[in-house]
Structures are given as structure tokens and as C-alpha cells.
Amino acid sequence: MGISLRSRIYIVELLDKGEVGKEYTVAGWVDTVRAHGGIVFVVLRDRTGKIQLVVKKNVSKEAWKTAKNLTPESVIAARGTLVESKAALGGRELVVNELTVYSKADALPIDIKDHTKTILAKRLDWRFLDLRNPRNFLIFLIEAEMVRAAREWFYEHGFVEIFTSKIVGAATEGGAEVFSIVYFDKPAFLAQSPQLYKQMGVIAGFERVFEIGPAFRAEPHHTTRHLTEYTSLDLEMGFIDGFEDVMDAVEGVVRAMIRRVISTFGSRIKECFPDAILEEPKEIPRITIREAYKLLESAGIDVEWGEDLSSEGERKLGEIIEREYGSPMVFVTEYPWRARPFYTMKKSDDPEWTLSFDLLFRGLEIATGGQREHRYEVLVKQIEEKGLNPKNFEWYLNMFRFGAPPHGGAGIGLERVAMQLLGLGNIREARLLPRDPERLTP
RNA sequence: GCCGCGGUAGUAUAGCCUGGCCCAGUAUGCGGGCCUGUCAAGCCCGUGACCCGGGUUCAAAUCCCGGCCGCGGCGCCA
């Protein structure tokens, strides 16, 4: 007669609401098979959970024969009677009357039961199998929820979602670290940031814009916290009093993301990620980089005044803030002009420093932002100061000749937030299909 | 880009320093067998590997050179 998938019920639903004694159809992947002669236990997994199927020779010989030859990760459907069982996980199990195999799985190339048993590189080679592990799968449910929470926050706060081009022409903010692509007969690049375009959004009159999309960096990093392609949550807002307004926004979004993740997945995170943070930060301190230098110096770390913090410095600062303020996050403000891009607004009374900030989460930069220079003449001068040619920024500079409000914005690295929140050891875990200098597939 | 480390069965590792005791050990997987209440089932039997090329040596997984591949640290950045 065959099993109809139309009558399929999700496993959690069955465990929660199924009536004992009734017949149900479930379908999914074979999690484990334990054969004991005349009785075979099959744990079936779908995207909602797991249930134990009991396949007995004296209930259905045909199903029993099929069951004892099942391989892990094969796709099957089972029709059976729900029964109570003290022994079974979830307290209930399905006594199988009929079993269909849709797809028999070969022997697995990686250990999907325990992610620590296979090195990450190999797991990523077999990413689709790696994601059969609920822990790994969960990371992407979390990111989806984070993005959703962020998007909702943006909409609630009057931001307009924009979609800017990722194919860009020659002139970009830095010049280096971009991927070249062939665009018909012209040189072109992959956008390393929507920076200039989101400013355009503000100046065009949207006033507040955000974008969630890919950013490309051609830096040959070999670290556990860099990708050549990542998801950036960018925001830009006009008519601000100062960069504090931007920090407030960043704090608002990040809090919204973390709050949502904890409330939605808290208990599952606790099970899967022993190093995860399960509490929203209370107060996020804001310190100037000069205060950060001092804190590091008094902790015995060498710092160079007027330079960006080293990665060691950032890590240490994270520890110090955690200890002194009890916060996993800290805003470091007023970065030196020499360490910031041309569009950053300088501090008017002290132009060595800028109206900019980084947000550190457990000692790692997860966001960067600041107030942008909106005065045409000053902007031209700053481009020159950075050794760039204003002629190459003509279209950009034009935006500041026809009414540009004071504005600022920031970029937040999605994978970095996820990595630090969950306490992952490698950012590649937080990206579905990570790209790094070596990896281009799958 | 600079620096460091590493490539042994499907997977993860031991062995390498101090060459022979290694036709390579262990765990897990896989194949087979027994078993009607297992919980990553258990027990028994079996299967399967030294990245590629060159060199040194009586002898190379082990030492040397080259290549390929991978991992990490730094700089820089989200």
C-alpha cells in the first residue's frame, strides 16, 4: 500500500501531542540503528527532533528485515503505533508496522555524532553531512534568528533596508584588499563594504538605512577569526548629534540579537555550547582608546600610543573589562586618525583622534563605526591626507555638494557575533560555506 | 605578505626525536555472526593506512631535498 508522506507528522509534534494507541507516519534520517535479533531499534531524526522506532519481527517481518539492514543517515518513512515506554527517549516510541527506504546512505566519511571527532577542515569538505549534527545545525538557526531580530529592530527604529551593489568600480575606500573580477572589458572589484553606498542612502534622503549582505576581503588571513567573505550588518543614520547616537544604535541592535537568541534557543545553546554566553550584558562600558592604552599598560601590556590596538591588546582589554566591569563587551572610542579611513570625522578639538568606535565582544572586534565627515572641503582634505586622489572619488564627493546631513554608521560582523556569543573556536564554524585563502569549495 | 606547525586505514590518533623490534599499534567506522528492550547496545570474527617525487643507507613511516595540500600565529580587519 505504501506510505503517504502527506500524513507525515513532525517528531516534536508527535511526542508532544500524539495520542497513544493511534497510528502515525514519520519521516526523516536514520540517526542510529541498534539491531537485537528479532527486534531493531531505529532512532529517527527530522528537523524538529528524534524519536525511537521499534521494529519487531513478530509485528511486521518485512519491516524488520528492512530495518536490520538500515544504514545511518538513510532517508526513510515509518508508519506505526505510538506507545508509552519508560525506556525510550521522550517517554514514547513508535512501534512500526510499515517502513519505506527512500535513499540508502553509504558509509559516512566523517563522524557526525560528535563534531570533535573530525577536524574542521574535513567537516567543511562534507558540510551537508556536518550539518546533520544538531549542534552544527543550530548555529545557523541562531544566525537566522539573529538577522531576523536585527531586521526587526531596524524597522522598528525607522531604518530603510537597502540593497547595494557588490560589484564596484575602481575607486574604493582603501584601495588594497579587494578582489578583482572581470567585468566585460573593465576592471571591477567585489565590494569590501557598502560604506559609500549606505552614506548615499542617507544623503539621498532615506535618512536611516541598513543593509544585511556579503562583504569581501582579499586579505590572506590565516586565523580563526577571519573570512574572505562574511555577512555584514551595516547601518547608517543621518541627523545625529554625535557618534554616541551611532553607538546607541549598535548597542540596540546587538542587544536585540542576543536577547532573541537567548530567549529562543537558550536551553539548546546550553546543551550544545559549553562556552556560550547566556545572559544579555548589563551595561556596556564606553572608554576612549587612550583609557584603553592606560588599562593595558597598567596590566603590563606594551601599547603604542596613537596606534590601533593589537589583537593581543584587544584580547587582554576584553579580560580586563570583564574583570573590572563585569561586561563581555566594551566600546572603545576615539581611535587615532592614522588608523581610520578618510571618511571618519576627526575630533574637532583634537584632530589626532576621531569620532569613531569599535565594539569588542570577549576581546574581539565585532563592530566598527563612527561619525562620518560630511563637510565637502574637509572631506577632500582628508582624502588627500590619506594619500588618495580626490579625482577617484568624484561621484562620492559630489554627494557632499548638494546637502549632506551630519551622519554616522557602523558595520557589524554577523559571524563574529555568533562566534563570540556561542564561544566557538573558529569563525568558519559560524559560516555555512566559509571562504578563506585556501578554501573555495564546497 | 611574514613566521611556525603538520600530512599514517572512512574518521581520529600512536609510532618519527634516538632508522631495523612496524608486511605499522589503538579507538571508532565498515562487513559478517549471535542476540526481542537497546540508549553512540554488547560480545566474537574479519576489513582497511605511512601525501607525491627524488636522495642518504645494508635497511626509511622515521633522516635530507623538492613539490602539492592543510592548519595556526602576526600584521590588517567584521
Side-chain angles (χ1 to χ4, degrees):
Chain A
M1 59 191 267
I3 292 178
S4 167
L5 289 175
R6 273 192 205 153
S7 55
R8 176 192 183 203
I9 182 170
Y10 277 121
I11 287 168
V12 262
E13 213 178 309
L14 177 59
L15 290 172
D16 285 354
K17 299 178 202 145
E19 285 178 46
V20 171
K22 279 200 164 182
E23 197 170 75
Y24 294 96
T25 297
V26 288
W29 289 267
V30 172
D31 202 73
T32 51
V33 185
R34 291 186 284 270
H36 294 255
I39 185 165
V40 182
F41 298 97
V42 177
V43 176
L44 182 73
R45 185 188 72 243
D46 67 18
R47 77 172 200 196
T48 66
K50 297 178 187 178
I51 190 170
Q52 175 160 284
L53 310 176
V54 187
V55 193
K56 293 179 179 174
K57 193 177 181 179
N58 63 11
V59 172
S60 165
K61 191 164 185 187
E62 207 178 324
W64 170 78
K65 270 193 205 159
T66 308
K68 66 182 181 130
N69 290 314
L70 281 175
T71 56
E73 297 309 311
S74 293
V75 171
I76 64 168
R79 191 171 52 77
T81 312
L82 188 67
V83 299
E84 300 272 9
S85 165
K86 293 180 288 279
L89 53 107
R92 295 168 153 203
E93 61 188 14
L94 207 64
V95 177
V96 173
N97 302 313
E98 189 179 358
L99 195 64
T100 302
V101 179
Y102 295 110
S103 170
K104 185 182 173 175
D106 287 346
L108 302 176
I110 60 170
D111 190 324
I112 64 170
K113 287 272 187 293
D114 181 350
H115 74 280
T116 63
K117 294 276 171 68
T118 308
I119 57 171
L120 183 57
K122 190 81 75 180
R123 285 170 46 199
L124 293 174
D125 288 340
W126 294 95
R127 191 52 145 164
F128 70 95
L129 282 178
D130 184 50
L131 295 167
R132 302 259 176 98
N133 181 313
R135 169 198 179 272
N136 302 334
F137 183 70
L138 180 60
I139 294 172
F140 299 95
L141 294 183
I142 288 169
E143 287 189 355
E145 203 56 42
M146 282 169 61
V147 167
R148 185 172 165 185
R151 184 170 274 121
E152 286 172 12
W153 188 94
F154 282 128
Y155 277 97
E156 281 162 18
H157 290 80
F159 286 78
V160 177
E161 184 162 17
I162 58 171
F163 304 90
T164 67
S165 181
K166 302 305 156 197
I167 303 172
V168 299
T172 53
E173 45 176 304
E177 71 181 35
V178 287
F179 286 107
S180 295
I181 59 170
V182 176
Y183 192 75
F184 304 111
D185 55 346
K186 297 185 184 73
F189 307 92
L190 293 176
Q192 51 152 275
S193 148
Q195 181 58 36
L196 276 31
Y197 294 137
K198 62 183 180 169
Q199 285 187 260
M200 190 191 93
V202 171
I203 295 167
F206 291 111
E207 297 198 15
R208 293 179 163 210
V209 295
F210 77 98
E211 176 166 22
I212 299 170
F216 303 93
R217 301 283 162 97
E219 295 282 347
H221 300 118
H222 290 91
T223 76
T224 51
R225 59 183 189 284
H226 289 96
L227 296 166
T228 51
E229 181 182 13
Y230 67 94
T231 301
S232 182
L233 290 95
D234 272 276
L235 63 108
E236 199 73 25
M237 50 206 284
F239 300 98
I240 55 171
D241 282 332
F243 74 123
E244 292 82 3
D245 297 340
V246 183
M247 277 193 278
D248 289 345
V250 169
E251 185 167 339
V253 189
V254 170
R255 279 185 187 283
M257 294 196 292
I258 292 179
R259 204 179 301 132
R260 175 75 66 79
V261 166
I262 293 171
S263 68
T264 309
F265 297 109
S267 58
R268 287 166 76 181
I269 291 173
K270 203 170 183 176
E271 281 170 38
C272 295
F273 303 99
D275 300 322
I277 286 183
L278 289 159
E279 270 175 48
E280 187 189 333
K282 284 174 215 68
E283 197 184 329
I284 303 174
R286 299 179 177 185
I287 65 170
T288 65
I289 195 161
R290 295 175 297 281
E291 290 169 312
Y293 295 146
K294 281 184 209 157
L295 283 171
L296 287 169
E297 276 177 343
S298 55
I301 314 289
D302 285 336
V303 294
E304 282 185 70
W305 279 69
E307 294 291 337
D308 207 345
L309 298 173
S310 66
S311 26
E312 194 207 357
E314 289 183 348
R315 261 194 310 276
K316 284 283 176 202
L317 185 64
E319 288 172 22
I320 294 168
I321 296 293
E322 178 75 59
R323 201 168 55 233
E324 306 281 320
Y325 294 83
S327 168
M329 292 192 191
V330 58
F331 280 103
V332 181
T333 67
E334 300 189 12
Y335 276 77
W337 162 246
R338 54 175 303 162
R340 289 277 153 159
F342 69 85
Y343 50 77
T344 313
M345 186 177 272
K346 294 180 183 177
K347 227 182 153 186
S348 57
D349 55 344
D350 201 352
E352 290 298 296
W353 310 95
T354 60
L355 303 179
S356 65
F357 64 87
D358 276 5
L359 176 59
L360 269 48
F361 186 13
R362 302 177 111 179
L364 179 68
E365 244 178 274
I366 58 160
T368 299
Q371 181 163 3
R372 324 301 189 187
E373 182 51 66
H374 63 279
R375 295 162 296 184
Y376 179 81
E377 293 77 14
V378 182
L379 199 50
V380 171
K381 232 177 72 193
Q382 292 194 173
I383 288 174
E384 286 166 346
E385 271 180 57
K386 289 288 179 187
L388 301 166
N389 186 352
K391 282 203 172 68
N392 294 334
F393 292 86
E394 201 181 345
W395 79 265
Y396 176 73
L397 282 169
N398 278 341
M399 297 197 295
F400 299 88
R401 294 171 52 213
F402 303 94
H407 66 285
I412 303 166
L414 175 69
E415 292 85 356
R416 283 201 172 175
V417 178
M419 164 165 109
Q420 296 305 86
L421 184 66
L422 301 177
L424 305 177
N426 194 316
I427 197 164
R428 277 162 262 236
E429 282 215 282
R431 176 104 191 154
L432 199 61
L433 298 161
R435 292 289 177 263
D436 63 35
E438 274 75 38
R439 181 173 296 275
L440 211 44
T441 54

